[in-house]
Each structure stands twice: as C-alpha cells, then as structure tokens.
Amino acid sequence: MKQLGLDHRVSWSKGRGLMRIRLDKLGILMIIAALGSGLVGCGSLQPSWEAPEVTLAAVRLQELGVMRQVFVLTLAVRNPNDRALPVEAISYRLQLEGREIASGQSRFERQIPPHAEAQIEVDLIADLVLLAQRLPALLRSDRPLEWALSGTVTLAGGWVRLPYRRSGRLDPAELAAQTGLAPRSS
C-alpha cells in the first residue's frame, strides 16, 4: 500500500538502529516541491533590492606621470530602498565619446541609509595610450562630450549585485578644470 508517494516497505538495519524508507519517484518529487516552496517562501519574506542610482559627482587628477595617470572619481550613490544598503564593493566602467577610458573595482564596507546619498571616492587608473591620443583634442572641443558610467554595486555577502548605468554630457572646459588639465594661459 502506497500513501503520499512513499513505498510501504520500512526496514531496520541490523546493528545500527536506523530506519530506512524507500521512496519512489513521486515521493522524491513531492519532497523537492515542498523544499522548493519553502525556499521560495523564505526568499519572499525579504523584499528585493532596488538598484541604487550612481552618478559621477566629480573627477580630479591625483597623479600625472609618464607611465600612468591616476584620477579620483567621486561617485554619488543614492539608495532608493526603504532599508539601509550594505555596500561591499563597486565596479565601474567610464566611457567618453563611446570609448572606454577606464574601469576598475573598489572594495569597502559602507551602509547607505534608506533614501539617502553617500559620496564614494574610487581610484581610476586611466589608459595612457588612449588619453595621450584623444584627451587633448577632446578638451579643445567646442561641443559637449558624451560620457557613460556603468557597473555593479555588490551588497554585503557578495550574493546580490545591482547594476547601474548613467550617461550624460560634459562641458570640455569643465572637465579640463576639474582634472587640472586646463590649458595654461601665457
């Protein structure tokens, strides 16, 4: 006689005192379904995260050398959630006029309160060849430059990664002034 997909045979293992129950296919599927619904139920107790809004607040030149240029990006990270956002890391890609000029990742621990904004500074090591070839001409441009910032915000524990993407236009003279690369007047 079978009930609930369990095989009716129950046996005792001699010398161990363990009871063995043989399950048929239906019994196994029922156990998997029960466990799965329990996991889904637990997951739904915690609301999902809304991706933070990340914008480029400032760019400044930290080091200008022959072999590398280090910029400091100030990212404004706004938490749109009703609970604190436990940030563990942030990855970023910066594009200027459709070409990636830098990318990287920074690890840190920061709690951003609900509906609040935090400033996060990250080091950015720029592509020397690309900067040498393109930046002088871009800074002399008389039209706004297209930029895009994208990446992921990794929450504490590393299991949740929230993507972000922002883009806009930037005045070349403002970029030159912020980075310290403004043409010198003679």
Side-chain angles (χ1 to χ4, degrees):
M1 165 164 120
K2 292 185 180 183
Q3 291 181 340
L4 300 175
L6 296 176
D7 192 323
H8 69 283
R9 288 177 268 182
V10 176
S11 62
W12 288 93
S13 178
K14 293 197 183 233
R16 293 189 185 156
L18 298 175
M19 184 171 70
R20 292 185 185 174
I21 300 175
R22 281 188 32 194
L23 301 176
D24 63 9
K25 290 179 186 177
L26 180 59
I28 292 172
L29 288 175
M30 289 179 64
I31 290 172
I32 291 172
L35 289 173
S37 66
L39 290 175
V40 169
C42 289
S44 65
L45 294 176
Q46 192 70 256
S48 62
W49 291 98
E50 192 174 329
E53 298 168 12
V54 180
T55 57
L56 182 60
V59 179
R60 82 172 190 277
L61 181 64
Q62 181 174 331
E63 178 185 328
L64 181 61
V66 175
M67 295 307 291
R68 74 183 210 156
Q69 294 78 40
V70 179
F71 293 88
V72 175
L73 296 182
T74 302
L75 304 176
V77 181
R78 187 184 161 288
N79 177 9
N81 296 283
D82 292 330
R83 56 194 161 145
L85 190 68
V87 178
E88 179 178 279
I90 189 165
S91 68
Y92 43 89
R93 290 180 49 211
L94 181 61
Q95 295 180 328
L96 192 58
E97 290 294 302
R99 300 219 24 213
E100 185 173 314
I101 60 168
S103 63
Q105 181 171 350
S106 292
R107 299 189 67 77
F108 48 85
E109 291 184 21
R110 174 79 62 89
Q111 291 279 334
I112 302 175
H115 303 290
E117 183 175 291
Q119 301 278 316
I120 297 174
E121 288 191 344
V122 295
D123 287 345
L124 181 116
I125 299 173
D127 181 335
L128 174 66
V129 174
L130 181 63
L131 284 178
Q133 291 174 345
R134 300 203 24 133
L135 195 56
L138 289 173
L139 292 177
R140 288 191 302 268
S141 176
D142 58 352
R143 65 175 182 77
L145 304 174
E146 299 285 332
W147 63 268
L149 176 68
S150 61
T152 58
V153 173
T154 303
L155 302 187
W159 292 99
V160 178
R161 288 187 171 89
L162 304 171
Y164 67 88
R165 179 169 173 72
R166 287 281 186 250
S167 61
R169 293 182 174 180
L170 181 64
D171 177 24
E174 184 181 326
L175 176 62
Q178 280 189 356
T179 60
L181 298 174
R184 293 188 178 135
S185 54
S186 34

